[in-house]
Amino acid sequence: MGLNYTFSVKEDVLIVRLAGEIDHHESENLRDVWKETMYANSVKHVILNMESVSFMDSSGLGVVLGRYKEVLQLGGEMVVCSVSPSIKRLFEMSGLFKIVRLEESEEYALETLGVAS
Amino acid sequence: MKNEMFIEFSSVSENESFARVTVAAFVAQLDPTMDELTEIKTVVSEAVTNAIIHGYNNEPNHKIEISCVLNDGEIDLVIKDFGIGIEDVNEARQPLYTSKPDLERSGMGFTIIENFMDSVEVISKPEVGTTVHMKKQLTNSKTVYN
């Protein structure tokens, strides 16, 4: 199984697309690459597209929370999109939707951050 | 019908997915819903991750045990380590509590386990280890057996 990720930059937005399973084993590498990419590009906001995530546990929540804090430092916003019902439940349980915004799709999330797709 | 299984594996993070997939495959014979299967996989992942990170401090040369008993649609799941144990179990079970904030832990492991299972018992002794004993009745089998 494992986890795959791709990053792309549109204006000042970093789009993170995840595919596969996010657990403790996968989260450490994800954290390092994500962090590196965020600071290597001059971005302010992050869109996290979880459309192809088939499994996530609290380790995934930890990574999202960690990146949220960094986005906050950059004066930006974190938007999560295309979340499955089971992952949505985890976000709700941990109160993460109080600090990160949820949107239906990546396109719409981009629009709300002022980027034309 | 009663059916049981037992596995023992090394305390390495590669085994987190092995553990949850194995338990899910065993439980699948009870014909759980997709949601129930996801819940089982998640709690196994949480408890095994706790054992690796906290119980064994990420040392790879220890063992984790899982036993699972299926009995009339009820899942009885025990996940056990022989690590450093937990000083204060009540504190550890609090939402957002983590003893390792530097590792970007969310502190939601036990909260998720409690939400997804019907009952959760945590037995821990410093320097002896931690046992997490969980039970869950599947919904489809409830209607069949009651």
Side-chain angles (χ1 to χ4, degrees):
Chain A
M1 252 303 184
L3 179 70
N4 291 304
Y5 26 88
T6 57
F7 298 93
S8 62
V9 177
K10 272 188 184 170
E11 297 180 24
D12 61 352
V13 181
L14 174 70
I15 304 167
V16 184
R17 298 189 189 97
L18 305 178
E21 306 196 331
I22 314 172
D23 60 8
H24 157 243
H25 178 67
E26 298 290 347
S27 69
E28 296 190 337
N29 194 38
L30 170 65
R31 176 191 63 206
D32 295 345
V33 181
W34 187 343
K35 234 175 151 164
E36 213 175 280
T37 314
M38 216 156 77
Y39 291 112
N41 298 276
S42 54
V43 294
K44 195 174 166 192
H45 308 290
V46 170
I47 293 176
L48 178 59
N49 185 338
M50 306 194 80
E51 192 177 0
S52 305
V53 176
S54 53
F55 175 85
M56 189 176 96
D57 65 16
S58 72
S59 301
L61 294 175
V63 179
V64 175
L65 206 59
R67 300 298 74 66
Y68 162 77
K69 287 175 186 164
E70 289 161 2
V71 168
L72 209 62
Q73 293 280 306
L74 298 171
E77 200 184 351
M78 170 132 35
V79 185
V80 182
C81 67
S82 311
V83 176
S84 73
S86 61
I87 292 172
K88 197 173 174 184
R89 239 176 111 191
L90 286 190
F91 273 80
E92 278 165 352
M93 212 180 276
S94 58
L96 225 61
F97 282 139
K98 288 176 188 150
I99 51 175
V100 303
R101 187 150 54 87
L102 174 70
E103 296 295 353
E104 284 293 310
S105 68
E106 192 182 302
E107 294 73 34
Y108 186 67
L110 267 171
E111 239 176 72
T112 63
L113 292 172
V115 179
S117 50
Chain B
M1 190 190 82
K2 192 176 170 183
N3 191 4
E4 51 191 296
M5 71 92 157
F6 175 83
I7 52 171
E8 183 194 69
F9 51 88
S10 303
S11 54
V12 295
S13 63
E14 283 82 353
N15 284 337
E16 290 155 9
S17 61
F18 163 75
R20 65 175 177 265
V21 169
T22 304
V23 173
F26 183 66
V27 167
Q29 62 191 282
L30 293 180
D31 199 22
T33 64
M34 282 307 289
D35 280 350
E36 286 169 334
L37 213 50
T38 302
E39 288 162 3
I40 298 290
K41 278 163 99 170
T42 309
V43 303
V44 172
S45 211
E46 298 296 350
V48 171
T49 300
N50 277 348
I52 291 172
I53 298 179
H54 302 292
Y56 293 131
N57 266 318
N58 278 311
E59 295 165 8
N61 52 334
H62 302 283
K63 293 283 189 284
I64 297 165
E65 294 178 359
I66 298 183
S67 65
C68 185
V69 180
L70 311 179
N71 200 356
D72 284 355
E74 189 186 61
I75 301 165
D76 193 300
L77 185 62
V78 177
I79 301 181
K80 190 172 186 176
D81 71 60
F82 307 91
I84 60 163
I86 303 167
E87 287 277 355
D88 186 340
V89 171
N90 285 329
E91 182 185 42
R93 289 176 72 149
Q94 291 305 308
L96 305 176
Y97 171 82
T98 180
S99 59
K100 289 187 162 44
D102 48 314
L103 292 184
E104 268 188 11
R105 307 304 310 163
S106 66
M108 287 301 291
F110 274 129
T111 305
I112 291 170
I113 293 175
E114 285 166 3
N115 264 280
F116 285 174
M117 301 302 273
D118 296 337
S119 73
V120 183
E121 194 186 356
V122 183
I123 307 131
S124 191
K125 237 187 186 167
E127 306 311 320
V128 176
T130 301
T131 300
V132 183
H133 187 182
M134 301 162 274
K135 285 183 187 176
K136 186 181 182 69
Q137 176 79 43
L138 296 181
T139 47
N140 73 330
S141 25
K142 232 185 231 166
T143 51
V144 172
Y145 289 99
N146 283 353

